[in-house]
Each structure stands twice: as structure tokens, then as C-alpha cells.
Amino acid sequence: QQQVKQSPQSLIVQKGGISIINCAYENTAFDYFPWYQQFPGKGPALLIAIRPDVSEKKEGRFTISFNKSAKQFSLHIMDSQPGDSATYFCAASMNNQGGKLIFGQGTELSVKP
Amino acid sequence: EPEVTQTPSHQVTQMGQEVILRCVPISNHLYFYWYRQILGQKVEFLVSFYNNEISEKSEIFDDQFSVERPDGSNFTLKIRSTKLEDSAMYFCASTKRGQINSPLHFGNGTRLTVT
């Protein structure tokens, strides 16, 4: 019940295309859903996050869509660029467990020029 | 921009040896964490630390593991007797507040190889 399931495991997108990564969770106590971006040799870095009281959050080319009833959320990267090539992790946490994040398995995104 | 720094970047040790992984969190942060990432797998929570004590630990964080904040700047993870399955990337993270929307800042990790 503590798991966050992420798909796909890997994704290849052409430059300018839309990258979509999906996550699903079971535990309805989760109430914070961040996405992290990780480049090789680096630690994960917060990209964008959402609370379940909104269905969508947009920051630049990155959008989170959140479906509370389906317990699913997704990351959309518009106009994908080669510099977006990285591993993306969705995560979830509960209000009383601050920095304890439950991560998804990760998606390795490759954006081809 | 302030960073979480970790040393060493790569540590090789023999099975059964003790290792200490070091982290310097961002200076005004109060909450500290260790996470682990086995090669090709997801990032997993190990332990959280606040006010000089462990606030939460995962099942992975057994008696072989300990954490310490020996002074005002360092935060360490000790593995007493390493096993082959401890080989992983270990990430230190810190945040200013313990609330869920207080961003976690991760270091670049220490790759631990146990032979």
C-alpha cells in the first residue's frame, strides 16, 4: 500500500514532442506528489509538485495532471528538448512524514534531436 | 545556490568492514535524511533525523546502520559491518522545515561498492 507505481520504465521522444510519464498509488493518506529529475552522477532534484486539492499544475513546459479518484498522476513535458534527457521519478508523501518520500521506479527519458 | 555536499563520491570497501559516509547539509536546514538507490532501482528512504535524534527509519535501516550529527555541520551514515547487498548509491538530503511541501535538497551521492 506504500508503493508508487511508475510507467513506462523508459521513453524515447523526438525533440519537440510531448513526454508523458504516469504514476499510480494506493494509499489515500498520501497528500503530496512531487516529481524529481535526476541526471547521471547527480542527486534527484525537485522539478514540480502537486497537492491533491488541484487537478493540474503547470510550470513552464512541465505539467502535472492529478486524478484523485483514480489515484493516478502524470508528468507531461511539452516541447521536449535533448536537455530534458534524464531519469524522472514520481514520489508521494504524507503530511505527518514530511521528507519521507516514497519514490516510483523511475523513467529514463531520452529526447532525440 | 547552497548545496548538500557528500564525501567521498565513491567508496570501495570489503565485506565486513565499517564505512562512514559524510554529508554537509545546507546550513540553515533542520531536517536531514539518508536515501539509498541500488543500481537501476528506485530511490528508497532510509532514515530521517531532526533535533539530534532519529524521527523515522525504514525496515532497511537495521542495527548495522547508525546516523550522527557530530558537530553543527556534518551528518554521517555509518554501516557497521558491510554486506554485498549494501552496494548502492547513498544520498543525503536536507530540508528547512519538516512539512510536506518543504523541498528536499539532495546531494550528489556516495557510490558504495562492497566487494
Side-chain angles (χ1 to χ4, degrees), chain B residues 76-110:
Chain B
T76 62
L77 174 69
K78 182 193 290 187
I79 309 175
R80 246 179 289 282
S81 177
T82 50
K83 302 188 273 275
L84 292 175
E85 54 264 37
D86 294 327
S87 295
M89 185 74 95
Y90 289 81
F91 292 105
C92 173
S94 69
T95 186
K96 195 179 291 189
R97 302 178 301 276
Q99 292 98 324
I100 58 172
N101 58 353
S102 181
L104 268 187
H105 295 258
F106 284 85
N108 288 334
T110 292

Side-chain angles (χ1 to χ4, degrees), chain B residues 59-89:
Chain B
E59 293 172 353
I60 302 166
F61 195 89
D62 61 22
D63 292 343
Q64 294 298 314
F65 291 88
S66 62
V67 289
E68 195 178 34
R69 188 155 162 83
D71 52 43
S73 59
N74 290 285
F75 179 50
T76 62
L77 174 69
K78 182 193 290 187
I79 309 175
R80 246 179 289 282
S81 177
T82 50
K83 302 188 273 275
L84 292 175
E85 54 264 37
D86 294 327
S87 295
M89 185 74 95

